[in-house]
Amino acid sequence: MDETGPAGPPPDTGEVNFPAQQAARCHGLAELDGQIARCRACPRLVAWREQVAAHPRAAFRDWEYWGRPVPGFGPEDAALAVVGLAPAAHGGNRTGRMFTGDASGDFLFAALHAVGLASRPTATHRDDGLELYGVRVTAPVHCAPPENKPTPAERGTCRPWLAAELELLAPTLRAVLALGAFGWQALLPVLGEAGWPIPRPRPVFGHGAELTLPATGRRPALQVLGSYHPSQRNTFTGKLTFDMLVDLLTRAADLAGLPRSAPPRP
């Protein structure tokens, strides 16, 4: 790896075009992450992510873009999952790590660090030494979509990856924070399929929305929270402030039973 970016994706050993078949066969998150990174199931997303990778922004002209689906990031025994939307074209699609290399990720990781859930407040590339403590960040769509808008069909195609990830996290998972209405709407059906009973009518999204999914024979109780997405539109307009996100992450960490050692807020 040079000083400007990661060394690029690992060698491809075959394509994955049927997530519904491949995801259910994965026996661990490392295997799942590898399968996700090889997925080519959505032609529009494949074309876009590769087009962006072939034509970097001037600021990133020395980078070798990842240009593939971006797996989740965080420990295999996470008690808290943070579910966003999709990688950014010049963020995760460039760096190969979820929420890394764009303004939304800068905001999120700074907030995680302020709560004591991240080892550092910044994320620049896959090998920057960042660690998450008890938290895994992921998304319902793993490829960067044009205009940050995946279609419902693309979300449905990618859905088995999220379902498998939550299934593998289930033994330790105690809380999930959905970032934005898209993450909320994508998350609840997957949780229902995984064995947690979802109330009807389905709870509506809102910042600070909170839902307890009761324990079943298969699953422990799960706390589900909603937050505005840390998009530049939301953070620039003040719809989502840093303190708002820190307070909600603190609540989520407490519900997940995570110890916190928060540094002073900036």
Side-chain angles (χ1 to χ4, degrees):
M1 187 189 78
D2 61 26
E3 294 180 353
T4 56
D12 199 356
T13 57
E15 298 178 356
V16 174
N17 293 315
F18 303 100
Q21 296 178 12
Q22 297 294 333
R25 299 173 183 170
C26 295
H27 299 291
L29 285 175
E31 181 181 359
L32 179 72
D33 292 346
Q35 292 291 325
I36 288 172
R38 294 167 48 218
C39 186
R40 299 181 66 85
C42 298
R44 186 182 79 113
L45 298 186
V46 171
W48 176 248
R49 78 192 192 209
E50 293 179 355
Q51 176 185 333
V52 170
H55 300 89
R57 283 181 175 171
F60 306 126
R61 62 180 178 274
D62 294 326
W63 279 74
E64 183 175 357
Y65 274 50
W66 173 257
R68 294 186 179 195
V70 181
F73 169 57
E76 296 187 355
D77 60 351
L80 171 63
V82 177
V83 179
L85 192 160
H90 297 279
N93 189 56
R94 170 172 60 91
T95 65
R97 192 171 69 193
M98 195 65 70
F99 277 106
T100 299
D102 61 28
S104 294
D106 292 343
F107 200 89
L108 174 63
F109 285 123
L112 286 167
H113 180 258
V115 180
L117 300 178
S119 63
R120 52 190 294 173
T122 58
T124 56
H125 56 83
R126 295 192 309 280
D127 300 316
D128 59 11
L130 173 66
E131 293 182 64
L132 297 183
Y133 306 133
V135 181
R136 186 169 173 91
V137 294
T138 190
V141 175
H142 287 273
C143 289
E147 299 180 351
N148 291 322
K149 294 179 180 179
T151 67
E154 289 163 349
R155 181 179 65 184
T157 300
C158 209
R159 182 168 167 172
W161 298 127
L162 179 61
E165 189 168 14
L166 294 174
E167 177 73 24
L168 291 168
L169 289 170
T172 58
L173 192 64
R174 297 298 178 266
V176 184
L177 177 62
L179 301 178
F182 186 95
W184 181 270
Q185 293 164 2
L187 175 65
L188 292 183
V190 174
L191 292 175
E193 292 173 2
W196 281 284
I198 306 298
R200 293 183 179 277
R202 188 176 298 171
V204 298
F205 169 77
H207 185 82
E210 196 169 311
L211 171 66
T212 299
L213 302 183
T216 68
R218 295 180 55 206
R219 298 284 180 254
L222 186 71
Q223 309 296 324
V224 182
L225 301 92
S227 169
Y228 293 138
H229 193 282
S231 65
Q232 286 186 295
R233 175 181 296 179
N234 287 341
T235 58
F236 283 178
T237 61
K239 183 175 183 179
L240 178 66
T241 67
F242 187 75
D243 284 350
M244 287 170 63
L245 184 56
V246 167
D247 288 344
L248 201 48
L249 283 169
T250 300
R251 171 67 175 163
D254 289 344
L255 290 171
L258 291 173
R260 294 183 289 104
S261 178
R265 294 191 188 183

